């Protein structure tokens, strides 16, 4: 029996995967690089490091978490649903899918739920790259889907972002060949926070999706003031082979509750469901919370406004400190370091501030998530003491 068939049977029969848990090496060791980065890649993400006691952090700004959520309505719904913890959440999953379908302008069979968007990124990579091939994406990029594809012996074809940190759509188009299984786009992009023009991206997806599926990760779209106007989800009802991914982890403030979804052609979702489970890995409390949060638009607006206020504050501080940074429309910002990255990280941790460390083109960069205004003021105070 071929290796690919062994993997196929393994995926079908693995109880861990059936419960919604990831099984590839890079996922089981979340945050640890167990794959070989291509030599032409620009970015190397440091292992996700936490201080010895993360509970002692005064400002936890290392995971793009929403400091304001879940909303009160969501918390109440979750508390009330605990008494139903002895029941499966199939009916609630169906209700949430119906609500999302109405919101996105599609039918429920275009929606697939999962315990967080990363779970759906990884499952898509497993199914599409099971027999190898290659994945085309920007570089730097969010690595969840790419790491999983690499774990299944697929090739990563990284295309450097442009000088203004947008996706090089022409370069990505040229990188697609007969062995390409998926094109991955994260817009706004993580870890850079930068955006690619919606009209240009729409034209790209219209052309490229005729040859290969295009996965558009819109996890941070709701932080943009233009909001859903920048989404490409409206291309799906017209039959385009596009997968759009969303999450309740960011604006909804539900990162620890694990709710995400993808919108795609029904046949694409059926291909994934034929080998993995979807909402079976989701708890009834999370489903009830997501249903309540979906209607709490005032909370979403508050989160977006407060995040924007913190971004603008930090941009002003960076400018006054002479620090260049990548303009962002998300819940995080990225800037280059003029000192050793490991030393910077250790000193920030000692100051009670958690941040992330990356390398791009061999140079250290830091990504800082937006917390509360008090947390951002602590970040800038600590940063000034660290960089001198």
């Amino acid at each position: 029996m071929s290796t690919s068939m062994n993997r196929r049977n393994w995926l079908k029969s693995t109880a861990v995967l059936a419960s919604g848990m990831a099984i590839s090496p890079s996922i089981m060791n979340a945050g640890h690089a167990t794959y070989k980065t291509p030599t032409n890649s620009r970015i190397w993400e440091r292992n996700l490091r936490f201080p010895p006691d993360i509970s002692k952090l005064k400002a936890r700004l290392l995971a793009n978490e929403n400091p304001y959520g879940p909303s009160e309505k969501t918390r109440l719904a979750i508390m009330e649903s605990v008494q139903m913890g002895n029941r499966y959440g199939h009916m609630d999953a169906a209700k949430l899918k119906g609500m999302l379908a109405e919101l996105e302008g599609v039918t429920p069979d275009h929606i697939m739920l999962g315990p967080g968007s990363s779970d759906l990124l990884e499952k898509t990579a497993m199914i599409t790259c099971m027999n190898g091939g290659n994945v085309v994406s920007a570089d730097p990029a969010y690595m969840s889907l790419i790491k999983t594809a690499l774990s299944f012996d697929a090739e990563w074809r990284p295309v450097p972002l442009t000088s203004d940190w947008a996706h090089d759509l022409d370069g990505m188009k040229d990188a697609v060949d007969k062995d390409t299984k998926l094109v991955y786009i994260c817009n706004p992009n993580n870890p850079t926070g930068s955006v690619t023009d919606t009209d240009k991206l729409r034209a790209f997806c219209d052309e490229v999706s005729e040859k290969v599926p295009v996965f558009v990760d819109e996890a941070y779209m709701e932080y943009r003031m233009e909001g859903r106007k920048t989404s490409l989800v409206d291309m799906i009802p017209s039959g385009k082979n596009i997968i759009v991914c969303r999450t309740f982890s960011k604006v909804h403030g539900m990162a620890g509750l694990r709710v995400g979804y993808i919108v795609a052609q029904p046949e694409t979702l059926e291909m994934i469901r034929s080998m993995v489970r979807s909402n079976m890995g989701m708890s009834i409390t999370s489903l009830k919370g997501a249903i309540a949060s979906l209607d709490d638009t005032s909370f979403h607006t508050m989160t977006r406004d407060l995040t924007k206020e913190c971004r603008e504050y930090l941009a002003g501080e960076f400018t006054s400190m002479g620090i260049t940074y990548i303009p962002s429309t998300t819940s995080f910002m990225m800037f280059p370091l003029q000192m050793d990255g490991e030393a910077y990280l250790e000193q920030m941790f000692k100051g009670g501030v958690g941040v992330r460390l990356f390398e791009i083109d061999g140079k250290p960069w830091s990504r800082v998530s937006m917390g509360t205004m008090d947390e951002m003021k602590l970040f800038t105070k600590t940063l000034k003491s660290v960089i001198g």
Side-chain angles (χ1 to χ4, degrees):
M1 185 177 291
S2 68
T3 301
S4 62
M5 285 305 297
N6 282 337
R7 283 179 177 160
R8 184 180 297 273
N9 291 335
W10 174 55
L11 283 170
K12 282 186 174 179
S13 61
T14 302
V16 173
L17 184 60
S19 67
M21 295 177 63
I23 42 68
S24 72
S26 63
I27 305 165
M28 289 191 292
N29 297 286
H32 297 277
T34 59
Y35 60 93
K36 184 177 180 181
T37 303
T39 55
N40 61 332
S41 171
R42 295 179 66 195
I43 187 170
W44 180 60
E45 180 178 357
R46 299 283 184 142
N47 288 351
L48 177 54
R49 288 183 50 201
F50 293 100
D53 188 352
I54 194 170
S55 66
K56 292 185 178 180
L57 283 179
K58 300 174 184 176
R60 180 166 158 162
L61 309 175
L62 43 63
N64 297 342
E65 297 161 328
N66 182 335
Y68 311 110
S71 71
E72 288 296 330
K73 290 181 180 179
T74 303
R75 295 175 196 178
L76 180 60
I78 290 171
M79 287 189 289
E80 291 179 342
S81 68
V82 170
Q83 62 181 331
M84 302 173 63
N86 60 317
R87 304 298 183 189
Y88 291 112
H90 300 308
M91 297 302 294
D92 294 288
K95 180 178 180 179
L96 180 59
K97 285 175 64 176
M99 295 172 68
L100 292 169
E102 183 177 358
L103 178 68
E104 303 294 2
V106 297
T107 58
D109 60 348
H110 288 85
I111 304 286
M112 181 174 180
L113 301 176
S117 60
S118 291
D119 173 85
L120 295 164
L121 287 162
E122 292 158 359
K123 284 176 177 174
T124 302
M126 289 177 195
I127 303 309
T128 56
C129 298
M130 186 179 302
N131 297 316
N134 66 67
V135 174
V136 175
S137 85
D139 181 18
Y142 181 59
M143 296 298 293
S144 183
L145 182 150
I146 297 163
K147 287 180 181 180
T148 303
L150 289 168
S151 296
F152 279 82
D153 298 325
E155 176 192 355
W156 178 31
R157 293 197 168 179
V159 179
L161 294 172
T162 63
S163 59
D164 61 352
W165 303 97
H167 284 73
D168 179 357
L169 298 177
D170 288 336
M172 294 179 71
K173 191 185 305 182
D174 291 342
V176 173
D177 65 12
K178 62 181 179 61
D179 295 320
T180 302
K181 302 299 183 182
L182 198 67
V183 174
Y184 174 64
I185 291 173
C186 186
N187 194 46
N189 192 40
N190 185 11
T192 59
S194 50
V195 296
T196 299
D197 179 80
T198 301
D199 291 337
K200 292 179 180 179
L201 185 55
R202 186 177 294 274
F204 170 87
C205 290
D206 184 59
E207 178 180 349
V208 175
S209 66
E210 295 295 322
K211 304 174 184 177
V212 63
V214 181
F215 194 116
V216 184
D217 186 346
E218 297 182 346
Y220 296 92
M221 177 206 67
E222 291 165 307
Y223 282 108
R224 300 181 69 179
M225 301 313 290
E226 306 94 328
R228 292 182 173 274
K229 294 179 181 179
T230 64
S231 175
L232 300 188
V233 73
D234 62 348
M235 299 183 73
I236 294 173
S238 64
K240 295 299 179 181
N241 194 11
I242 297 171
I243 305 168
V244 171
C245 187
R246 300 273 178 74
T247 182
F248 281 74
S249 296
K250 307 307 174 186
V251 165
H252 292 267
M254 296 176 60
L257 291 164
R258 312 310 301 138
V259 181
Y261 65 100
I262 52 178
V263 188
Q265 299 304 326
E267 55 269 28
T268 298
L269 300 183
E270 182 55 36
M271 179 183 68
I272 300 173
R273 288 195 191 97
S274 70
M275 305 203 58
V276 298
R277 306 287 288 274
S278 56
N279 51 269
M280 190 63 184
M282 303 173 69
S283 69
I284 196 167
T285 50
S286 294
L287 289 165
K288 291 284 191 182
I291 289 169
S293 184
L294 204 58
D295 285 333
D296 198 352
T297 55
S298 61
F299 177 78
H300 310 159
T301 300
M302 180 204 73
T303 292
R304 185 166 52 248
D305 291 346
L306 290 176
T307 301
K308 180 175 181 286
E309 183 181 348
C310 287
R311 267 200 325 263
E312 291 175 347
Y313 161 79
L314 189 55
E317 289 292 304
F318 280 157
T319 299
S320 67
M321 297 167 67
I323 295 175
T324 58
Y325 61 91
I326 302 175
S328 172
T329 61
T330 66
S331 60
F332 58 90
M333 295 178 73
M334 200 171 191
F335 62 100
L337 299 172
Q338 303 302 320
M339 63 179 293
D340 177 75
E342 293 293 337
Y344 160 81
L345 197 63
E346 290 297 332
Q347 292 181 53
M348 293 298 288
F349 283 170
K350 287 180 180 178
V353 178
V355 290
R356 289 291 292 275
L357 179 64
F358 293 80
E359 282 187 11
I360 301 178
D361 295 330
K363 298 179 181 179
W365 287 70
S366 178
R367 191 191 70 187
V368 54
S369 305
M370 297 300 105
T372 64
M373 184 58 75
D374 285 343
E375 288 176 319
M376 301 319 297
K377 290 179 179 179
L378 176 60
F379 165 79
T380 55
K381 179 181 178 181
T382 307
L383 179 65
K384 289 174 182 177
S385 68
V386 168
I387 66 176

